[in-house]
Amino acid sequence: MPQQVRGVIARSKGAPVEIVLITIPDPGANEVVVAIAACGVCHTDLTYRDGGINDEYPFLLGHEASGIVESVGADVTHVEVGDFVVLNWRAVCGQCRACKRGRPQYCFDTFNAEQKMTLEDGTELTPALGIGAFADKTLVHEGQCTKVDASADPAVVGLLGCGVMAGMGAAMNTGNVSRGDSVAVIGCGGVGDAAVMGSRLAGAGTIIAIDRDPRKLEWALELGATHTINATEVDDVVEAVQELTGGFGADVVIDAVGRPETWKQAFYARDLAGTVVLVGVPTPDMKLEMPLIDFFSRGGSLKSSWYGDCLPERDFPFLVDLYQQGRLPLEKFVSERIKLDEVEKAFETMHRGEVLRSVVVL
């Protein structure tokens, strides 16, 4: 039978979030109900609340989550009741042109649950990134569940569901950082610091963290940066990167901010034939104007990273295993553990740059 649980919704643009009762239907074909154990507070949820994604209110927020599969619908073969899973928003279809060309990380038709979760009055909810995990339970497609080591800390490994994977993948998958490379990361929030950690895991020799906040630069050092640049204390960020890389620039520069000015810094701070990776999310109104000759004369690669070009089934278990072995300090991203009714407060804390991640623990 359908069940009612608590959920955090954004009812209208910019309004404070609310905890309400939501209705979870019985899972249909290829759907599962997951009892949420923990869910990180991501900037994307704040963007949903403030209307930066679309206007399909009310939203059921939350997506960086882990939990236990509680029930499954017909034809589910991917997971079983009792499995501990990390939720993801890339449930590849296997049929689109990207999947058929062997590039499922670019899947154009990822799966979500067909049925809708609703308010008590029947109003349909739009789950953030097709997940909606600021709730006691949520309904997702089976492909959105990735089974991982059940002994792992739910508050830690759930963060792979979005920001941490986006940053690590920007370095390891999109940027193809390899042993001995020099890397510069612009913006050292959760995604940027994950890019620092991914660069370290990939064997980069020089890892330069760039930010305006000394606290964030300290976090970056803890996660593997070898050098830091406080952008408020130098005349030219590009020159500062060049000074730390033999005068040439970095092999890979990752823009985790997503503004025209930071992307230009990334472009010019790379070595000739170097790689720029954009993982910070720009707003639709942002424009970029640069001399075309500079693109031609410098060579290299200019890439955008969507979800770190990850494949959850490949990447999540591998990274969780490294964490369990003590080789990947994912726990450093959990700044605080909070309750479901503290999400709005966590948005304010995040906006002030005081945390890498607040994590709701249920």
Side-chain angles (χ1 to χ4, degrees):
M1 293 181 60
Q3 52 185 314
Q4 288 190 322
V5 301
R6 299 174 303 158
V8 174
I9 69 165
R11 197 180 294 272
S12 60
K13 184 175 181 178
V17 301
E18 308 170 38
I19 293 184
V20 299
L21 286 178
I22 65 172
T23 300
I24 310 289
D26 290 336
N30 301 115
E31 295 176 344
V32 301
V33 172
V34 177
I36 301 301
C39 184
V41 181
C42 176
H43 197 276
T44 301
D45 293 302
L46 180 59
T47 305
Y48 268 104
R49 189 202 72 174
D50 291 343
I53 305 293
N54 57 51
D55 59 356
E56 297 173 7
Y57 293 93
F59 295 114
L60 176 60
L61 301 179
H63 58 280
E64 286 186 344
S66 63
I68 303 293
V69 176
E70 180 185 84
S71 58
V72 303
D75 302 322
V76 170
T77 59
H78 189 65
V79 291
E80 299 177 346
V81 171
D83 282 349
F84 176 59
V85 297
V86 175
L87 300 184
N88 71 80
W89 45 272
R90 174 170 284 156
V92 299
C93 72
Q95 298 298 318
C96 70
R97 62 189 186 279
C99 287
K100 288 184 175 180
R101 294 175 68 188
R103 300 172 182 173
Q105 68 271 29
Y106 302 127
C107 179
F108 302 114
D109 193 21
T110 59
F111 288 120
N112 293 316
E114 290 289 333
Q115 298 185 91
K116 292 291 187 179
M117 295 176 279
T118 66
L119 298 177
E120 288 185 279
D121 64 4
T123 300
E124 293 185 348
L125 293 164
T126 301
L129 293 177
I131 294 175
F134 285 152
D136 294 307
K137 300 174 185 179
T138 193
L139 178 77
V140 294
H141 190 277
E142 62 173 319
Q144 293 178 275
C145 300
T146 302
K147 185 177 178 180
V148 298
D149 186 343
S151 66
D153 184 340
V156 174
V157 299
L159 299 183
L160 290 172
C162 189
V164 169
M165 186 69 255
M168 293 193 69
M172 300 173 68
N173 297 331
T174 316
N176 294 314
V177 174
S178 58
R179 186 178 303 170
D181 279 350
S182 56
V183 180
V185 178
I186 302 175
C188 296
V191 173
D193 276 350
V196 167
M197 186 169 64
S199 299
R200 179 182 180 183
L201 184 62
T206 300
I207 305 171
I208 305 165
I210 305 164
D211 205 285
R212 302 170 64 89
D213 187 338
R215 174 172 41 197
K216 292 182 179 180
L217 294 175
E218 287 297 323
W219 293 339
L221 287 171
E222 292 177 11
L223 289 163
T226 58
H227 303 78
T228 62
I229 296 172
N230 187 321
T232 67
E233 297 177 353
V234 297
D235 293 329
D236 189 316
V237 166
V238 172
E239 290 181 359
V241 172
Q242 291 170 340
E243 288 175 4
L244 294 171
T245 53
F248 302 112
D251 296 307
V252 180
V253 185
I254 299 169
D255 177 7
V257 178
R259 294 187 58 84
E261 56 267 34
T262 53
W263 194 92
K264 285 184 179 180
Q265 288 175 337
F267 181 87
Y268 289 110
R270 67 188 174 122
D271 198 357
L272 288 175
T275 298
V276 173
V277 177
L278 173 65
V279 67
V281 182
T283 58
D285 60 304
M286 291 179 179
K287 307 292 183 183
L288 184 67
E289 184 174 341
M290 293 174 60
L292 187 59
I293 189 64
D294 287 359
F295 291 85
F296 174 79
S297 61
R298 298 180 67 86
S301 298
L302 310 175
K303 298 182 175 183
S304 296
S305 185
W306 187 57
Y307 206 0
D309 289 342
C310 78
L311 285 175
E313 286 295 304
R314 176 194 66 193
D315 296 337
F316 288 9
F318 167 66
L319 295 174
V320 170
D321 286 347
L322 289 181
Y323 161 65
Q324 291 289 78
Q325 295 165 19
R327 298 166 61 191
L328 188 67
L330 291 175
E331 72 283 352
K332 292 183 182 293
F333 285 88
V334 181
S335 304
E336 60 176 0
R337 299 174 190 238
I338 63 174
K339 298 178 181 179
L340 194 61
D341 61 2
E342 296 178 292
V343 170
E344 184 69 31
K345 180 181 177 182
F347 283 153
E348 297 170 4
T349 304
M350 177 178 61
H351 188 69
R352 293 193 298 266
E354 297 174 0
V355 295
L356 279 177
R357 275 296 185 270
S358 303
V359 180
V360 175
V361 177
L362 292 112

